Amino acid sequence: MAKIFFTENFYQKGMLYPFDRIRSLQDIRIGILTIGEKWEMMQSLFPKNTRHVILNLPVNLVPSPGFWNDVENQKCDFSSANENFRILTSAHQIFEFNEWAIRQDFNLLTAGRLSQKIPFSNKVICPENIFIEVGAVVEHCTLNAAEGPIYIGRDALVMEGCLVRGPFALCQGARLKMGTKIYGATTIGPYCIAGGEIKNSVIFGFSNKAHDGYLGDSVIGEWCNLGAGTSNSNIKNTAGRIKVWNHLTREFELAGTKCGLLMGDYSYCAINTSFNTGTVTGICCNIFGNSIPPKHIPDFSWGEEKYILSKAIRDIGNWKQLKGRTISTNEVETLSDLYSLK
């Protein structure tokens, strides 16, 4: 069995801001699983006849089941990606690599297993590419897996009238509201609520985009809430390169031609908020006002003012109660430490 040691040779804290602000990279969700969950599941796939090896891997490496083939064949240059892994160096790559990651995770999760039967009330294209876990409910929907797999997690709910094109992952306990339109490659994380129109986006977990509005080429952290009618732009009127805030250089830097909203954990926005292309919000932001928000919203912003820490913690607790959770002592300590840096 391989011994794996993670190094930061190709990573610097803040590269994936705002998503590496309060979590380890192993807890970042891309595809269906978090990076840590991928490693955990892949342990059983390590070639049994391979000699004992010690691997020093970049902490920001995203593996796939085929990764062990590189190890077995001694293709151990992990400084640049190949078909068996990706290296995350920017936050927007989470949605850019999501199609690849969904396909890899789908194969990992479903190998040797049988899906629950797809109810007859659904209109289905390529059912062989659809996997429904125990406890999931999917009725009176259109599921098109011709362009990529569709994974419906345990106890998830797809309400009637939803239109879904793969690649798509709806994780455990998550819900799609009636008439939701999903374009691949999209991941809705555990216990999220999603509605409206969503394309090529990742929502980590316990967050809500429950109403009409467009979310495209975006990444949303945990415990976020997008007010009804919220939409983002994901392409400039000129179709040119988009500038995205770089937390390390404290400057806007060029990204691709498609980039929507990158929203940090515990952030919320008012109804009918319109986000510009490449907007980055920090953690614990409450976004409201009469104008389009700026393209970079610092941590602990309350409109144009600073969020009072005690109120931020109170509000997080309120949101958690809605999903039957409570804010932990560790979370309070972590947020307090970050707040003191402001």
Side-chain angles (χ1 to χ4, degrees), residues 14-31:
M15 270 187 177
L16 303 184
Y17 178 87
F19 306 110
D20 60 356
R21 192 70 165 141
I22 57 174
R23 66 167 52 78
S24 76
L25 296 193
Q26 300 301 299
D27 293 326
I28 284 181
R29 187 172 303 277
I30 177 171

Side-chain angles (χ1 to χ4, degrees), residues 61-232:
L61 183 147
V62 183
S64 76
F67 175 80
W68 293 133
N69 294 331
D70 288 350
V71 176
E72 192 173 22
N73 297 322
Q74 298 184 351
K75 296 179 180 179
C76 296
D77 178 12
F78 303 119
S79 60
S80 59
N82 65 24
E83 68 275 8
N84 292 324
F85 68 91
R86 297 289 187 270
I87 302 288
L88 289 174
T89 58
S90 300
H92 56 83
Q93 290 176 331
I94 296 172
F95 71 77
E96 291 175 353
F97 297 160
N98 200 47
E99 177 172 353
W100 170 85
I102 289 177
R103 293 179 187 276
Q104 302 301 325
D105 287 352
F106 185 87
N107 293 335
L108 180 62
L109 284 164
T110 64
R113 301 175 62 217
L114 292 176
S115 169
Q116 301 300 301
K117 290 184 178 180
I118 304 172
F120 291 115
S121 66
N122 297 288
K123 181 175 178 58
V124 179
I125 302 172
C126 294
E128 66 275 13
N129 294 334
I130 298 172
F131 195 95
I132 300 176
E133 295 281 9
V134 173
V137 177
V138 187
E139 296 280 3
H140 300 284
C141 299
T142 298
L143 306 175
N144 182 353
E147 296 185 9
I150 294 174
Y151 175 85
I152 309 297
R154 183 181 295 270
D155 299 325
L157 172 62
V158 183
M159 296 183 185
E160 55 272 22
C162 290
L163 306 174
V164 177
R165 292 176 63 92
F168 173 64
L170 186 68
C171 297
Q172 181 174 350
R175 288 185 283 164
L176 291 187
K177 296 185 74 176
M178 291 190 299
T180 301
K181 293 176 286 186
I182 297 287
Y183 298 84
T186 291
T187 298
I188 309 298
Y191 304 100
C192 290
I193 302 174
E197 181 180 359
I198 305 175
K199 173 249 180 186
N200 193 29
S201 296
V202 179
I203 305 178
F204 280 4
F206 299 96
S207 291
N208 303 324
K209 186 244 176 269
H211 304 288
D212 286 344
Y214 176 72
L215 183 72
D217 300 290
S218 297
V219 184
I220 307 297
E222 291 188 345
W223 297 106
C224 296
N225 188 73
L226 305 184
T230 294
S231 291
N232 73 267

Side-chain angles (χ1 to χ4, degrees), residues 223 266 284 309 312-321 324-333 335:
W223 297 106
Y266 311 116
C284 280
L309 179 61
I313 291 172
R314 177 203 64 192
D315 295 344
I316 292 170
N318 291 340
W319 280 107
K320 289 204 163 197
Q321 284 182 8
R325 303 296 201 276
T326 58
I327 187 169
S328 69
T329 300
N330 183 63
E331 285 176 291
V332 172
E333 291 175 351
L335 293 171

